[in-house]
Amino acid sequence: MSSPQMNSPPVRQDAQVSSDMLVAMMAVEGVDPKPDLSSDALAKAMATKLPKTYAGPFSQLTTLEHAQYLSLVQRSKTSQLNGRDASDLSRLRSRIDIEQQKFRSQAREQCLPFLRQIQDNVNMQMCRELGTRARRVLAAYPQQFRAHKVRTIRAGVSKYEPLEFKGMLFQRGSCAHVAEAAKLSRVEWADEELVSMDEKAREVAETTEADVVVSDTALAVLLSLPHAYLRDVFVPFVVEEKPGDSSMRVIIDDQVVPPHSATPHMLNEMYYAQSARSDLTDPTCKLSLSESQTPSNATYTQWELNGQRLVIRYTVHAFSKSDGDAAVTFAAKVETQTNSVEAQLASIRGRNEEIVERERLAWWLAAYLRGSASHVRVAHVDTMGNVLRVSQHTASDVQVPPTRALSELLRDLAQLPKGKYVLVHRRHAWDATVFRAVDGVDKRKSEAVLDLRDELAPVEMADAEADVEGDYVPMAWHGMPGHVPYTYAPCDLEPFCSPPVTWNKPSRTRRKQKKRKAKQ
């Protein structure tokens, strides 16, 4: 591949490139701590950090231009640039923006096929589990629904409304101590009762005069709704009158995933999250949460959000003796192990995917609801269940999220007439529809109708051609020092890289034979 270096405007001789930046770029293992900062020496040193087989593509910018851009960006954060430096930054930024778009687009295209990878046994088990959950909802809700209200999923104002803890209401069951595992494979499914069918949830709701009754997982789905543009959301709920009161109470059930819309990546994450609860705990070491010994555990707590009284039900997945019996919640993050050029450049100094907002919010809420000492342990796995690493997150690790949109959504739901509903968001839409249950639907009328049995019809396997665009998560950037993130290797590294191997390259034996003939 020919280098585009000739088309690149030269770096100004007086351009201020931080010497600290250049030294950091050269400070690689085996390099002199007082390096030669000439452009050739710099390019040669950076080339040693590239994968040995790297042969392009190459950036339109040189090594020094990468350094100049990073230096200007850093300086612009602390002081105002002079006119010439500001012009240089603008010129470089316009070229880098184009290259970053190309890099990210190519990385996405290379990754999408890997998002469809799933083991057959995981696929079938998860589809059976989705069928079980669907039957649970079908037993509690009518079949026919009519569109009642449409609301945007975009947050009007990004503001934090305090979610305040008011008290522990009830606990039952026990949980196990955390353990270690190199592979996730064992799954034990818990028969979790719908919140709307939970008598204890209704009992504590009456006692506290709650406006909203919800599980932690359903609350996490609603909290991340403004970020659900590329994902489907399907949340059933009930609106009923409070006894002796004219106001309404909303009882929100867990999200149910329509089997036909489930993607392989989605099933992988659900499977390994449940598997983590089995493989990353020691069943021989138990902690009793109450005198009531039941197969599963449940905790009911009272909260307040912008004047609304909430009862939140959650499960304690495990406890950690080393952290004073702190509650531990398990989650899984399935990372695609691609070997594309873009992935290689991004993972030179480490490999992991970015944490998307949906994950960040779910982990924050899980840790926050269970108390300041609790944390979330995330098993980062590949599609075969091999544990790549385990990360730990607390509520304080995450910037306090905007909860105004959640508060407004819960208040809107509480103003609906008495009845049974489903909140539905279809991917690639900026709004969600609230469907209300009806006794019958006149299909001759042109109205938005939802048939719950059709929506939750079982499937044997997830669609191999499913739309996985919403499952894509970019690689976090751990590239070379001095290399602008999400761009290709600087163009002046090309002479120091291996040429691309071609199919008709002479073998070593044939080259020796040619040399012998030449001597003769």
Side-chain angles (χ1 to χ4, degrees):
M1 181 182 295
S2 62
S3 170
Q5 185 174 0
M6 297 300 294
N7 298 326
S8 176
V11 180
R12 286 189 359 243
Q13 295 301 311
D14 63 338
Q16 296 184 32
V17 180
S18 166
S19 56
D20 288 341
M21 176 72 72
L22 294 175
V23 171
M25 293 163 63
M26 294 290 286
V28 294
E29 188 176 352
V31 174
D32 191 326
K34 294 182 179 180
D36 175 6
L37 298 183
S38 66
S39 58
D40 284 349
L42 191 58
K44 186 175 181 179
M46 287 190 72
T48 64
K49 302 304 293 181
L50 288 172
K52 292 182 179 179
T53 57
Y54 189 83
F58 291 92
S59 172
Q60 290 191 359
L61 280 70
T62 65
T63 305
L64 287 177
E65 285 177 314
H66 276 251
Q68 182 191 12
Y69 173 77
L70 292 172
S71 179
L72 290 171
V73 169
Q74 188 64 31
R75 287 170 49 209
S76 69
K77 294 178 180 178
T78 57
S79 60
Q80 187 172 356
L81 299 178
N82 61 43
R84 198 169 182 185
D85 285 342
S87 176
D88 282 348
L89 178 59
S90 177
R91 172 179 59 82
L92 291 169
R93 177 170 284 152
S94 64
R95 296 166 64 198
I96 285 171
D97 285 348
I98 294 172
E99 187 170 324
Q100 286 180 329
Q101 290 176 15
K102 179 181 177 182
F103 185 102
R104 291 179 183 275
S105 175
Q106 193 63 25
R108 187 187 195 92
E109 289 302 314
Q110 294 291 325
C111 185
L112 290 182
F114 291 87
L115 293 172
R116 296 188 173 92
Q117 291 182 346
I118 186 172
Q119 298 180 78
D120 287 344
N121 67 310
V122 173
N123 200 338
M124 289 186 289
Q125 282 190 60
M126 279 309 308
C127 286
R128 285 199 297 269
E129 175 61 20
L130 291 185
T132 299
R133 298 181 186 186
R135 288 192 294 274
R136 203 175 294 149
V137 171
L138 288 170
Y141 286 80
Q143 178 179 349
Q144 302 287 345
F145 289 76
R146 180 184 293 120
H148 181 78
K149 183 178 182 179
V150 177
R151 74 182 316 278
T152 180
I153 66 170
R154 300 187 192 191
V157 179
S158 295
K159 183 180 178 182
Y160 175 70
E161 298 283 359
L163 180 59
E164 298 176 294
F165 177 69
K166 294 299 181 180
M168 178 74 70
L169 300 174
F170 181 77
Q171 277 190 306
R172 64 166 180 254
S174 62
C175 61
H177 179 250
V178 295
E180 303 294 331
K183 186 177 178 68
L184 302 184
S185 57
R186 183 168 56 95
V187 171
E188 297 176 359
W189 296 107
D191 186 18
E192 294 187 5
E193 192 175 26
L194 293 177
V195 175
S196 62
M197 305 296 288
D198 185 342
E199 292 300 325
K200 177 55 69 174
R202 288 181 175 275
E203 178 186 322
V204 295
E206 293 297 332
T207 304
T208 59
E209 299 182 346
D211 302 304
V212 178
V213 185
V214 64
S215 71
D216 63 321
T217 51
L219 196 64
V221 170
L222 299 182
L223 179 62
S224 62
L225 187 61
H227 309 280
Y229 176 75
L230 291 174
R231 299 179 72 86
D232 291 335
V233 175
F234 202 93
V235 180
F237 64 96
V238 178
V239 178
E240 59 185 27
E241 295 178 352
K242 295 180 183 179
D245 194 345
S246 59
S247 61
M248 295 294 181
R249 173 180 296 137
V250 184
I251 305 176
I252 304 171
D253 285 315
D254 284 341
Q255 174 178 221
V256 57
V257 178
H260 64 84
S261 68
T263 65
H265 187 79
M266 187 188 304
L267 297 185
N268 273 329
E269 289 210 329
M270 294 172 67
Y271 180 88
Y272 290 121
Q274 187 66 30
S275 182
R277 296 173 62 173
S278 302
D279 285 330
L280 298 182
T281 56
D282 179 2
T284 64
C285 184
K286 292 276 190 178
L287 175 68
S288 294
L289 301 178
S290 68
E291 295 180 359
S292 172
Q293 296 301 312
T294 56
S296 59
N297 68 72
T299 299
Y300 302 80
T301 50
Q302 183 180 6
W303 299 78
E304 187 169 309
L305 176 63
N306 195 20
Q308 299 172 92
R309 297 181 293 271
L310 278 64
V311 167
I312 302 177
R313 185 188 78 179
Y314 62 77
T315 299
V316 178
H317 295 173
F319 72 97
S320 174
K321 289 190 292 186
S322 60
D323 296 315
D325 292 345
V328 176
T329 305
F330 291 114
K333 183 174 176 64
V334 180
E335 301 195 358
T336 52
Q337 300 298 297
T338 65
N339 198 35
S340 66
V341 168
E342 292 76 18
Q344 291 180 45
L345 289 174
S347 58
I348 287 175
R349 294 185 293 164
R351 188 184 187 101
N352 65 279
E353 290 182 352
E354 293 180 355
I355 298 175
V356 296
E357 195 63 18
R358 170 178 53 84
E359 296 168 327
R360 199 186 317 276
L361 292 173
W363 300 346
W364 171 83
L365 187 64
Y368 183 76
L369 293 178
R370 289 162 176 80
S372 58
S374 74
H375 60 265
V376 178
R377 292 196 180 188
V378 181
H380 300 254
V381 300
D382 60 19
T383 55
M384 300 301 291
N386 298 307
V387 179
L388 307 174
R389 65 190 175 282
V390 176
S391 62
Q392 187 167 304
H393 306 266
T394 65
S396 60
D397 293 337
V398 181
Q399 183 179 359
V400 176
T403 53
R404 169 69 70 85
L406 173 64
S407 172
E408 292 176 349
L409 173 60
L410 294 178
R411 198 172 296 279
D412 281 354
L413 299 184
Q415 293 175 355
L416 293 170
K418 177 181 177 181
K420 294 188 174 183
Y421 297 84
V422 182
L423 175 69
V424 179
H425 170 261
R426 308 291 188 186
R427 64 190 72 178
H428 302 295
W430 281 115
D431 53 45
T433 302
V434 175
F435 287 88
R436 186 184 184 189
V438 292
D439 294 332
V441 174
D442 187 350
K443 296 185 178 180
R444 294 173 298 179
K445 295 182 179 180
S446 57
E447 56 185 354
V449 173
L450 181 142
D451 189 301
L452 202 59
R453 291 194 180 278
D454 289 346
E455 289 285 338
L456 302 182
V459 297
E460 293 184 3
M461 303 276 277
D463 184 5
E465 300 301 320
D467 179 5
V468 295
E469 185 182 359
D471 297 322
Y472 172 70
V473 178
M475 292 283 291
W477 182 262
H478 299 291
M480 298 179 291
H483 183 187
V484 176
Y486 303 105
T487 62
Y488 293 104
C491 56
D492 51 350
L493 271 60
E494 184 173 6
F496 306 104
C497 295
S498 302
V501 178
T502 58
W503 66 272
N504 60 349
K505 180 178 180 180
S507 67
R508 187 174 181 181
T509 304
R510 287 174 58 192
R511 290 198 299 269
K512 287 182 177 179
Q513 290 173 349
K514 286 183 177 181
K515 286 181 179 179
R516 288 196 198 102
K517 288 181 180 180
K519 289 180 180 179
Q520 293 173 358

